[in-house]
Amino acid sequence: MKRIAIILCTLLIAALQLSAQIKTRNSRDSISINGIMFGYIYSIEQLKDALGEPSQINTHPADDYGYNHYIRFGGDLVVQMKDDPRENDPGITDFILNSPKYTLDFEGTKLKVGDSFEKVKNMPGYTSREKRYNGFYSIIFNNLMNDHSLQILFSQDEVIECISVAPRYY
């Protein structure tokens, strides 16, 4: 009877741990895809439940603690995450959207590949855009030139081809 109680308690704790997301100092509740929020640490199973079955998972040791995970969902989405809160930049550190299959909720505005630049210009706090590397533009909000976390690749017709979200401080 004692063993059964211990096993049940262990299973309950394991289930709670799998379902819990871990908030980090990089967490931003205002940026998410299908409920997966930027900066939080999730289990691979949580990511599968929210985003579907990944086509590729690469895992390797992080700089100091835990592991880096590079998770690709076909040609549609890439999620990068460090799974230990003691790491320098823990949690989800990158969302890269390459198709309209997924919608990015960025500070109350829903963006997806195929949207026009006009939608970006109408986002609250939009100030300007600056061309960066490989044709990507950093979107500047409220004249905050130090946070280039939203980067977008536009076609010649000003249609979004790719969206990248990552903490970028210059």
Side-chain angles (χ1 to χ4, degrees), residues 55-127:
S55 58
Q56 177 184 7
I57 301 174
N58 290 341
T59 300
H60 59 277
D63 296 334
D64 295 315
Y65 305 99
Y67 292 91
N68 287 324
H69 302 279
Y70 176 91
I71 306 150
R72 179 178 290 279
F73 297 87
D76 304 315
L77 173 67
V78 172
V79 176
Q80 293 181 32
M81 178 182 73
K82 295 179 184 171
D83 68 0
D84 194 310
R86 297 172 295 172
E87 189 58 49
N88 194 23
D89 284 316
I92 291 181
T93 59
D94 243 326
F95 285 133
I96 303 169
L97 291 86
N98 290 311
S99 85
K101 182 177 177 181
Y102 295 98
T103 301
L104 173 71
D105 187 341
F106 190 90
E107 300 184 1
T109 300
K110 298 197 181 306
L111 287 176
K112 63 182 176 179
V113 171
D115 286 342
S116 73
F117 176 55
E118 288 301 314
K119 187 164 188 178
V120 175
K121 281 178 32 179
N122 292 324
M123 292 176 71
Y126 171 83
T127 304

Side-chain angles (χ1 to χ4, degrees), residues 106-156:
F106 190 90
E107 300 184 1
T109 300
K110 298 197 181 306
L111 287 176
K112 63 182 176 179
V113 171
D115 286 342
S116 73
F117 176 55
E118 288 301 314
K119 187 164 188 178
V120 175
K121 281 178 32 179
N122 292 324
M123 292 176 71
Y126 171 83
T127 304
S128 62
R129 66 181 180 174
E130 278 187 18
K131 194 164 189 175
R132 295 286 177 187
Y133 60 94
N134 296 333
F136 275 83
Y137 286 87
S138 287
I139 307 302
I140 310 299
F141 294 99
N142 298 319
N143 277 329
L144 295 176
M145 302 301 285
N146 63 336
D147 182 3
H148 299 266
S149 57
L150 180 60
Q151 303 228 347
I152 298 178
L153 178 65
F154 294 101
S155 69
Q156 289 182 338

Side-chain angles (χ1 to χ4, degrees), residues 2-3 12 17 19-20 36 39-40 42 46 48 51 59 64 68 79 104 117 124 126 131 135 146 153 164-165 168:
K2 187 177 179 183
R3 285 186 180 176
L12 178 65
Q17 186 172 4
S19 66
I36 299 296
Y40 283 81
Y42 294 90
Q46 287 173 300
K48 287 180 182 179
L51 303 172
T59 300
D64 295 315
N68 287 324
V79 176
L104 173 71
F117 176 55
Y126 171 83
K131 194 164 189 175
N146 63 336
L153 178 65
S164 174
V165 180
R168 291 179 171 86

Side-chain angles (χ1 to χ4, degrees), residues 2-13:
K2 187 177 179 183
R3 285 186 180 176
I4 292 173
I6 290 172
I7 291 171
L8 288 175
C9 185
T10 304
L11 289 174
L12 178 65
I13 290 171

